[in-house]
Amino acid sequence: MAIEKLLIANRGEIAVRIIRAARELGVATVQVYSKADKDSLAVRLADETVEIGPPQASKSYLNQAVILDAARSTGADAIHPGYGFLAENAEFAAAVEAAGLIFVGPTAQSIRLMGDKVAAREAAASAGVPTVPGSQGRLDSAEAAFALVERTGFPVMIKAAAGGGGRGIRIARSAEEFHHLMPQAQAEALAAFGDGGLYVEKLIEGARHIEVQVLGDGHDVIHCYERECSLQRRRQKVWEEAPSPSLASPIREKLCTSAVALAQAVNYRGAGTLEYLYDDRTHEFYFLEMNTRIQVEHPVTEMVTGIDLVREMIRIAGGERLRIRQDQVRVSGHSIEVRINAEDPAKNFMPNPGTVSALGVPAGDGVRFDSMLYQGYTVPPFYDSLLGKLIVHDKDRPSAIRKLECALAELNVEGLATTKPLHQALARDADVQAGRFHTAWLEPWLESHTAALAASSPTAKVAP
């Protein structure tokens, strides 16, 4: 059945994005919010709003019972989880459906299967998708892990079986480091995800991070090509683009075909992303994990394909079959997205929430700013520092980088420090312009550019 009223179980820029997509489909919206978000843009835009608790996420945006109560009290027939919070929580997806509501996303079974990295690796192997050499199952003891490492050799990555976001990961380059880091990774995984299970992978040094966007209806799956997400700080993406500047057409086709095969194997429904490591020296790629939700960086795919992924998610959840055939998906031009965070480059990217005293948003053909900001809005200190995403599109990558520089110059967020100076410096960098980077490239670059970033930050002190 078509969705008539959609509850958004999230906040910030993704909540705004979902509200706008729903409105374009003629779907009424309900925005839940914590006390800290009562003045948010999403609350201003939604048709109905429900306060669900105090600022702490555990008592509001992660409180499944109160969100389900809000859906029932407002007559919502569907819930969109956005990204983060409950987006990849299989129990929540099951609870939504048990309540007779529609979960805008994959089934609880798919979330559970692909959310466990070990199970996802096993599913990938069964579908013929290459995985990084490493453990075939969960490693619940240091002895079993070290026995495996002795066979694969160093360096290795020790990773949490559950969760993501770069937490629970350690890199060991020797037996001594391994024995020191294994308990740390186990403790962090247990604290962050309530699951101390680990697995071990061979570290592919100098690899790039490539991900493939898929759409499925539970029967058929298509891909919407790939995104390059190798520019990362502390394993968090800061700059994404589509298509990848590193892939030749035959590799691109092979990579995207493998993503469809894996998504098809788990009867995937909705929008999802399969992440890979790519070694551009050997041209080999390895499956990492699947994100069973919409991604922060989805706009670059939308810009180059013309497909509105959020609208398609809502349509599919409402019972529609895929309206797009694979041969209808075409890539046109190049798109880049940079994440504008409330962080101060002059102070080691320390979170810097505050009140937006003035706001200037860039505009023009091929320029998009997905954000939660408005002049006078006070950014609360309780959540992720992402304020919005600046996205540009042009005929080719050099043109897109030039357009990005112009859009960044036009972007003005006064009253708080942002990561704008980082992206301006990256756009001017010769290696970035040439596409010469990998997942470990940005950290040493930042060390060598600390002084320049500090000097360009709005918070930098001006000498008298």
Side-chain angles (χ1 to χ4, degrees):
M1 66 173 193
I3 294 170
E4 295 183 359
K5 184 181 286 190
L6 178 66
L7 183 142
I8 296 93
N10 216 296
R11 63 174 302 280
E13 67 86 18
I14 189 60
V16 173
R17 171 76 181 90
I18 296 166
I19 289 169
R20 287 174 170 156
R23 178 181 292 164
E24 290 163 5
L25 291 172
V27 175
T29 56
V30 179
Q31 178 63 49
V32 296
Y33 65 95
S34 73
K35 289 183 184 296
D37 280 332
K38 62 182 176 63
D39 296 321
S40 70
L41 182 58
V43 168
R44 291 186 169 199
L45 292 176
D47 298 306
E48 297 177 60
T49 62
V50 179
E51 184 182 302
I52 56 170
Q56 299 97 316
S58 61
K59 298 178 180 179
S60 53
Y61 296 109
L62 291 172
N63 189 329
Q64 299 184 30
V66 74
I67 290 172
L68 289 171
D69 284 345
R72 282 188 285 260
S73 68
T74 57
D77 52 1
I79 296 179
H80 197 310
Y83 53 70
F85 295 129
L86 295 169
E88 293 179 282
N89 187 306
E91 290 182 2
F92 180 62
V96 169
E97 296 194 348
L101 306 173
I102 297 168
F103 182 76
V104 182
T107 64
Q109 181 181 4
S110 292
I111 295 172
R112 193 172 289 113
L113 174 64
M114 302 311 288
D116 184 302
K117 292 186 176 66
V118 174
R121 281 168 56 89
E122 292 170 349
S126 296
V129 180
T131 59
V132 180
S135 52
Q136 297 304 307
R138 294 166 61 92
L139 298 168
D140 292 311
S141 73
E143 293 76 15
F146 188 66
L148 172 71
V149 171
E150 285 187 307
R151 295 194 300 272
T152 62
F154 292 99
V156 296
M157 295 186 77
I158 308 165
K159 306 177 76 172
R167 290 176 293 180
I169 295 177
R170 298 291 187 278
I171 295 173
R173 300 183 180 277
S174 67
E176 182 181 6
E177 281 189 347
F178 183 85
H179 289 302
H180 176 67
L181 295 173
M182 179 79 176
Q184 291 184 12
Q186 208 158 23
E188 185 176 351
L190 184 62
F193 313 118
D195 182 346
L198 302 173
Y199 69 104
V200 174
E201 285 181 348
K202 182 75 175 174
L203 176 63
I204 310 297
E205 300 207 70
R208 303 176 80 112
H209 182 119
I210 309 291
E211 58 188 35
V212 179
Q213 176 72 58
V214 296
L215 271 176
D217 59 14
H219 305 279
D220 299 315
V221 177
I222 62 169
H223 69 77
C224 301
Y225 292 93
E226 87 288 351
R227 299 185 285 258
E228 170 89 44
C229 306
S230 299
L231 286 171
Q232 302 178 10
R233 176 179 175 269
R234 296 180 178 175
R235 300 192 180 92
Q236 301 294 310
K237 302 163 189 172
V238 300
W239 164 308
E240 301 102 351
E241 52 187 295
S244 166
S246 63
L247 293 184
S249 293
I251 298 295
R252 174 175 289 110
E253 184 64 28
K254 189 176 178 182
L255 182 71
C256 293
T257 300
S258 81
V260 170
L262 179 49
Q264 192 86 58
V266 299
N267 301 313
Y268 195 77
R269 182 187 74 195
T273 299
L274 293 98
E275 300 192 344
Y276 295 82
L277 283 181
Y278 175 62
D279 188 335
D280 57 8
R281 297 158 299 188
T282 64
H283 305 298
E284 294 178 299
F285 60 85
Y286 306 94
F287 170 75
L288 279 177
E289 62 180 330
M290 184 174 189
N291 297 122
T292 53
R293 54 174 167 80
I294 195 72
Q295 291 273 88
V296 176
E297 57 272 23
H298 75 272
V300 293
T301 295
E302 295 183 329
M303 297 291 265
V304 297
T305 64
I307 297 170
D308 189 312
L309 295 169
V310 179
R311 285 202 312 224
E312 293 307 311
M313 287 183 78
I314 297 170
R315 285 190 173 109
I316 290 167
E320 290 190 31
R321 295 291 296 267
L322 276 173
R323 305 179 313 128
I324 308 160
R325 300 190 315 269
Q326 188 63 68
D327 62 5
Q328 294 176 315
V329 184
R330 295 280 188 272
V331 171
S332 174
H334 197 92
S335 182
I336 301 171
E337 169 185 294
V338 294
R339 302 190 186 195
I340 306 299
N341 290 359
E343 298 173 358
D344 191 346
K347 298 178 180 177
N348 195 29
F349 294 89
M350 181 183 296
N352 188 250
T355 299
V356 180
S357 57
L359 178 65
V361 176
D365 183 48
V367 178
R368 170 175 165 182
F369 187 53
D370 286 15
S371 88
M372 62 177 184
L373 301 180
Y374 61 84
Q375 188 169 322
Y377 175 60
T378 298
V379 179
F382 307 103
Y383 310 108
D384 185 90
S385 61
L386 181 66
L387 301 174
K389 295 115 54 165
L390 179 59
I391 309 109
V392 297
H393 177 262
D394 215 314
K395 61 181 180 179
D396 53 32
R397 190 168 185 269
S399 301
I401 292 175
R402 285 194 296 271
K403 182 169 285 184
L404 176 64
E405 287 191 83
C406 294
L408 283 165
E410 194 175 334
L411 177 66
N412 180 39
V413 182
E414 293 185 13
L416 63 165
T418 74
T419 49
K420 169 180 166 176
L422 166 65
H423 300 304
Q424 289 178 306
L426 288 174
R428 293 190 296 264
D429 185 88
D431 283 339
V432 173
Q433 291 177 353
R436 294 189 298 262
F437 47 78
H438 49 76
T439 55
W441 181 88
L442 185 55
E443 301 263 359
W445 182 92
L446 283 170
E447 290 179 10
S448 63
H449 288 73
T450 299
L453 288 174
S456 62
S457 170
T459 63
K461 293 182 179 180
V462 180

